[in-house]
Amino acid sequence: MSNFLPINTILVPQGAEYKAVCRGLSGITGSIPTIVAIPVGMKPLLKYLQQGQFLAPKSRVLIMGLCGSLSDRHTVGDIVLYQDCIYQGKQEECDRTFTAQLHSFLSEKVSLVKSLTSDRVIWSAAEKRRLGETLAADVVDMEGFTALEFFNASGVAVAILRVVSDDCQYNIPDLTSAINSDGSLNAFPLAMGMLRQPLAATRLIRGSLTALKVLEEVTNLLFSG
């Protein structure tokens, strides 16, 4: 991969996002990074990171996955590259050099964004727009700030590349109760949440499938060099 210093590890939320990244790397013949499936959510992720010393300082970690849009500028299928993440008034920066290299490599395909990390699912479109406006954030996820805070303290360079799976025009189902305390997804509450709001569920599924396809493609593009 001539474009970058090596990326040692890709962290990606377990489940469909992890599978999409693996599919993106499946045909690559050169050396590829270690892919690690991480739990969903801030607390489970922190616990997970604290348990495993799987990264040496000076290594480079790329976090990939899906995110929600907080602004009309970013719609389903858009690829975003984080500059920083905020959580409750605190801010953590992504590694500038690493981010700039990714940005120049993906150029027209990617937008630089500011991200909000949330400890719960932001499902209401009205709340998304309000958060976007009041916090001047473009997208939301549930892991970014935690990962940056942890790795920035350990001297590991991090960049975050995600794909928008839901916009701020429509509600998605409230799936907070479907996330277990260990950061895994619980199928029954997930199904119930979907069934209670079938229209929102259909939209979320369609948006996620579109975004997962883009996630797979951008992974392949990055490492087919």
Side-chain angles (χ1 to χ4, degrees):
M1 193 173 162
S2 52
N3 316 69
F4 310 115
L5 294 165
I7 294 171
N8 309 79
T9 309
I10 296 176
L11 300 185
V12 58
Q14 60 190 24
E17 294 162 85
Y18 173 76
K19 288 180 186 143
V21 169
C22 290
R23 278 197 304 273
L25 291 172
S26 62
I28 305 294
T29 47
S31 63
I32 58 168
T34 310
I35 316 172
V36 180
I38 57 173
V40 174
M42 300 184 73
K43 282 194 182 122
L45 177 59
L46 182 60
K47 194 172 160 191
Y48 176 81
L49 292 173
Q50 285 167 341
Q51 282 164 358
Q53 288 304 317
F54 56 89
L55 293 166
K58 300 280 180 284
S59 57
R60 290 160 65 108
V61 173
L62 178 61
I63 297 170
M64 299 184 79
L66 306 182
C67 62
S69 173
L70 301 177
S71 145
D72 292 333
R73 290 189 301 281
H74 305 291
T75 57
V76 172
D78 285 4
I79 306 168
V80 293
L81 184 62
Y82 289 16
Q83 292 169 299
D84 52 52
C85 274
I86 53 171
Y87 174 70
Q88 294 186 347
K90 293 182 294 200
Q91 183 181 38
E92 289 285 337
E93 303 267 333
C94 295
D95 185 80
R96 290 199 177 155
T97 311
F98 188 9
T99 301
Q101 286 171 331
L102 285 165
H103 189 232
S104 68
F105 180 69
L106 294 166
S107 58
E108 280 81 71
K109 296 182 184 69
V110 67
S111 311
L112 283 168
V113 295
K114 293 181 159 316
S115 171
L116 164 70
T117 298
S118 170
D119 49 18
R120 60 189 173 84
V121 176
I122 308 292
W123 56 271
S124 138
E127 186 182 10
K128 282 193 190 169
R129 286 195 297 271
R130 182 176 60 75
L131 287 168
E133 285 158 17
T134 51
L135 301 172
D138 303 293
V139 296
V140 60
D141 72 28
M142 296 180 70
E143 299 83 26
F145 182 88
T146 303
L148 283 175
E149 190 173 47
F150 180 84
F151 289 124
N152 286 347
S154 357
V156 171
V158 179
I160 304 181
L161 185 69
R162 289 196 180 236
V163 180
V164 174
S165 60
D166 50 283
D167 61 25
C168 63
Q169 302 295 325
Y170 301 103
N171 294 346
I172 60 170
D174 180 4
L175 300 176
T176 306
S177 64
I179 300 172
N180 295 325
S181 59
D182 64 356
S184 61
L185 286 175
N186 191 339
F188 184 68
L190 186 67
M192 291 311 293
M194 293 288 205
L195 288 171
R196 273 197 296 271
Q197 297 159 290
L199 223 107
T202 306
R203 227 180 257 121
L204 176 64
I205 292 166
R206 202 181 294 137
S208 299
L209 290 173
T210 301
L212 288 166
K213 188 75 192 130
V214 175
L215 184 62
E216 181 185 334
E217 286 162 4
V218 74
T219 305
N220 186 273
L221 177 71
L222 275 180
F223 294 97
S224 51

